[in-house]
Amino acid sequence: MVDGMFKVLVVEDDKNTNFLLGKLLSKLFGCTVISAFNGAEGLKAIEGENPDVVLMDIHMPVMDGIETLETLRKSEKHSDLPVITITADNERSAVKKMAELGVYDYLLKPLIYAETKVRLRKIFSKIKDDLQKKEQQELSTSDTQEMKTLLLVCKDIDFAEKIKDSGKSAFIIHTAENGADGFKLFGEVKPDMVALENDLEIFDANTVAKKIKNDSAGANVKIVLLHAGDELAPEHKLLFDKGVNLNMEAEKIIDIFKKMF
């Protein structure tokens, strides 16, 4: 979001101050500005207009800034809406109360045009950064929730890197180079799928698969044997859900893994 894309609600009972802020926001920052003259009007505007930022005076008729912010913070929809309080230097107790209610920042009265412009530019820049971080976190969380976790246990580091590169958009991939480390990592990351190279050191693939099957966390885990063939031998069918030829291209192996869910 850039400055010009902010929709700003100004809640200020003094008409001159309200007008000044509206002009400054629209002319210098390109904001869409909505005006309200008391807290009750402000809450109604918030519900109807869904602003990105609120500039709000503390002392107003009908409903003051503290009452308005208390009501706002009880709303799940608007609990984290950035509110910038407009305050005089002698209103310290009120400012402290507003801070306890999660006010984002403040503008100091009397409003001096040049100083207010600089102050708003800094505040808007910070809000923009915070919103971008929040969107990235939400996107990351959403992607993580949809992706399955794959534990790949194999000796061939180059092969592991190819699988990680090919599967990074579909799986959260963890790797280990031997069976003992693989089983230890299984307990830490609780994967949805475990792919085991046939010829592992310390613990072989069969031993790791048995340990997973006997572990309470392994009940719904899909276990794949990576070997030189395509079909599972009879002795492997009780331990593995599928056999995959590790000589296939990494992209094809990932496609097979994806189809198992």
Side-chain angles (χ1 to χ4, degrees):
M1 180 181 292
V2 298
D3 290 345
M5 294 179 65
F6 279 123
K7 180 188 284 188
V8 182
L9 170 63
V10 178
V11 188
E12 166 63 69
D13 63 310
D14 183 87
K15 292 183 179 180
N16 291 331
T17 303
N18 199 314
F19 179 80
L20 171 66
L21 286 170
K23 284 293 183 181
L24 189 152
L25 290 165
S26 60
K27 296 296 183 181
L28 292 182
F29 295 96
C31 297
T32 300
V33 181
I34 310 143
S35 293
F37 295 94
N38 59 61
E41 290 182 5
L43 289 174
K44 185 176 180 180
I46 289 169
E47 289 300 326
E49 298 289 346
N50 197 31
D52 301 304
V53 184
V54 176
L55 271 61
M56 184 162 59
D57 190 17
I58 292 180
H59 296 294
M60 297 180 291
V62 184
M63 180 182 283
D64 66 21
I66 293 175
E67 293 176 294
T68 306
L69 192 55
E70 284 176 336
T71 302
L72 195 61
R73 292 309 183 224
K74 293 176 184 177
S75 166
E76 184 176 345
K77 182 179 178 182
H78 303 296
S79 60
D80 59 353
L81 177 64
V83 175
I84 302 163
T85 186
I86 307 167
T87 178
D89 192 34
N90 60 359
E91 297 173 326
R92 294 184 183 276
S93 61
V95 170
K96 181 180 178 181
K97 179 63 176 178
M98 294 285 275
E100 291 171 354
L101 291 170
V103 70
Y104 191 89
D105 215 315
Y106 66 91
L107 294 176
L108 194 61
K109 288 182 177 179
L111 298 180
I112 300 171
Y113 189 88
E115 294 178 3
T116 303
K117 179 180 70 173
V118 172
R119 182 77 177 157
L120 281 174
R121 191 175 300 281
K122 291 180 179 179
I123 293 172
F124 284 170
S125 178
K126 186 173 184 295
I127 291 174
K128 180 179 70 173
D129 289 344
D130 288 347
L131 290 175
Q132 287 177 339
K133 289 177 184 177
K134 182 180 178 182
E135 288 172 0
Q136 289 170 355
Q137 289 171 351
E138 290 175 348
L139 181 61
S140 175
T141 301
S142 175
D143 289 344
T144 301
Q145 289 173 343
E146 293 173 0
M147 294 169 71
K148 301 293 185 181
T149 300
L150 166 66
L151 171 58
L152 174 65
V153 188
C154 69
K155 296 184 296 183
D156 189 335
I157 297 175
D158 290 337
F159 174 77
E161 288 301 316
K162 290 177 182 178
I163 292 294
K164 287 168 69 175
D165 187 59
S166 298
K168 61 187 177 183
S169 64
F171 294 96
I172 300 168
I173 302 177
H174 301 272
T175 60
E177 296 179 27
N178 63 67
D181 288 344
F183 184 66
K184 181 181 178 181
L185 194 55
F186 167 81
E188 295 172 0
V189 304
K190 303 292 190 296
D192 302 290
M193 173 183 283
V194 178
L196 302 168
E197 185 182 354
N198 188 43
D199 187 21
L200 291 173
E201 296 178 347
I202 306 180
F203 293 160
D204 63 17
N206 286 0
T207 301
V208 178
K210 288 177 183 177
K211 286 180 173 292
I212 291 172
K213 291 284 187 183
N214 291 329
D215 193 287
S216 59
N220 298 313
V221 176
K222 299 184 186 299
I223 307 177
V224 176
L225 179 65
L226 297 170
H227 60 155
D230 295 311
E231 298 297 326
L232 289 172
E235 63 268 24
H236 289 148
K237 289 185 177 179
L238 292 176
L239 294 175
F240 299 93
D241 296 286
K242 194 172 186 64
V244 175
N245 192 327
L246 53 72
N247 295 313
M248 296 172 60
E249 292 179 358
E251 291 83 357
K252 291 183 179 180
I253 293 176
I254 291 296
D255 284 340
I256 293 171
F257 288 173
K258 287 162 63 176
K259 290 176 182 177
M260 293 180 66
F261 292 97

